[in-house]
Amino acid sequence: KINHPVDIYEANNGLNIDIACVGLTKKDIDLTIEGDILRVEYKKDNDSNHAEYIQRNIAKRAFNFGWRISRRFDLSNLEAKLENGLLHLFAPLTEDNKPKAITIK
C-alpha cells in the first residue's frame, strides 16, 4: 500500500500519474526510466539546519515509487510538469495503440 497521495488514470490519449509534492521543487525529485519501469523518488532532506518549528503540519515525506508501465504507453515521450504542489506525468499511447478510423470498402 502506498502511503502517499498518488492518482493514476488512463485517458483516451495516454496514461496520467499525479503525485502530491507540496513544498518540493523539480530539483528535489528524481525521475528515471529503465526499460518499462518508471521510477519517481524524493529523498527527504535532513532538517537539522532549519529553525525550531513551533507548528509543523506540512509533511515532506520521502517517497520512492516504481511502476511497470505497459508497452502500450510511450515512456520515451514521457512529459513531466510540477505545478502547484502536484507532479503530473503523462505517457502518450504508442502510435500502434492510438485509435484508428477504418474505411469500409
Side-chain angles (χ1 to χ4, degrees):
K1 180 181 173 188
I2 295 176
N3 192 19
H4 190 89
V6 176
D7 289 339
I8 302 174
Y9 55 98
E10 185 175 345
N12 291 339
N13 57 348
L15 181 69
N16 295 274
I17 302 173
D18 293 332
I19 304 170
C21 294
V22 175
L24 303 181
T25 68
K26 59 185 178 182
K27 292 178 184 177
D28 296 328
I29 302 165
D30 291 324
L31 183 60
T32 57
I33 298 169
E34 276 188 53
D36 60 353
I37 303 292
L38 171 61
R39 182 158 306 282
V40 183
E41 183 175 11
Y42 162 65
K43 294 177 185 168
K44 187 174 181 175
D45 281 338
N46 184 352
D47 287 334
S48 62
N49 297 334
H50 294 74
E52 190 80 21
Y53 282 93
I54 295 169
Q55 180 172 341
R56 185 167 189 188
N57 295 351
I58 299 174
K60 289 186 184 177
R61 293 182 223 126
F63 54 79
N64 186 343
F65 303 126
W67 295 282
R68 184 175 306 277
I69 304 298
S70 169
R71 295 189 190 275
R72 295 182 325 120
F73 303 106
D74 186 1
L75 287 179
S76 66
N77 285 312
L78 184 76
E79 298 171 14
K81 181 168 63 170
L82 182 61
E83 187 173 61
N84 298 325
L86 189 67
L87 176 62
H88 179 75
L89 306 175
F90 174 73
L93 284 170
T94 59
E95 288 297 320
D96 293 342
N97 285 292
K98 288 184 179 175
K100 296 177 181 95
I102 306 298
T103 304
I104 300 173
K105 295 181 184 179

